[in-house]
Amino acid sequence: MSDPNMKSASLAEIRRMKAAGELSSSNDAAEGAPDGEDLDRDFWDNAKVEEPRVSATRPVLLKLEPEVFEFFKKQGKGHVSRMQAVLKAYAKAHR
């Protein structure tokens, strides 16, 4: 371990330390942590519920022949977007 704040302990040692109240975590009551910002009534009066945006794309596993992948990859960054554009144009042409 390269972090000097990290220590090694066996499960038995951890259990002993926990029983003795020697352990703390970020889930424990905040000890000296600053309070969050208080939000006034105006904030809540103007608050709106927004539904999460759903991505218009769908992740898929696409197996490509090596020469097809290399053709697009050799053109540099954005090769996946270029493949998408070609597939989109093909689909549009065949509707």
Side-chain angles (χ1 to χ4, degrees), residues 65-95:
E65 294 181 13
E67 59 269 17
V68 172
F69 181 78
E70 289 304 318
F71 172 80
F72 285 95
K73 179 100 172 164
K74 283 181 184 178
Q75 296 175 33
K77 189 174 180 177
H79 59 283
V80 175
S81 296
R82 283 190 296 279
M83 286 186 251
Q84 170 69 15
V86 169
L87 289 169
K88 189 174 184 179
Y90 180 88
K92 185 176 180 181
H94 288 84
R95 283 195 180 121

Side-chain angles (χ1 to χ4, degrees), residues 4-90:
N5 295 319
M6 293 184 72
K7 298 176 183 167
S8 177
S10 69
L11 182 56
E13 290 171 317
I14 292 172
R15 286 182 174 150
R16 182 199 57 76
M17 291 166 57
K18 184 175 180 184
E22 298 173 0
L23 292 179
S24 65
S25 72
S26 60
N27 294 334
D28 293 340
E31 297 174 9
D35 290 334
E37 178 183 347
D38 287 332
L39 301 174
D40 61 10
R41 180 84 179 152
D42 290 336
F43 173 86
W44 294 109
D45 287 343
N46 297 318
K48 296 177 185 173
V49 175
E50 290 193 19
E51 295 295 323
R53 294 181 186 161
V54 178
S55 174
T57 61
R58 180 181 303 170
V60 297
L61 172 63
L62 179 64
K63 293 184 179 184
L64 301 171
E65 294 181 13
E67 59 269 17
V68 172
F69 181 78
E70 289 304 318
F71 172 80
F72 285 95
K73 179 100 172 164
K74 283 181 184 178
Q75 296 175 33
K77 189 174 180 177
H79 59 283
V80 175
S81 296
R82 283 190 296 279
M83 286 186 251
Q84 170 69 15
V86 169
L87 289 169
K88 189 174 184 179
Y90 180 88

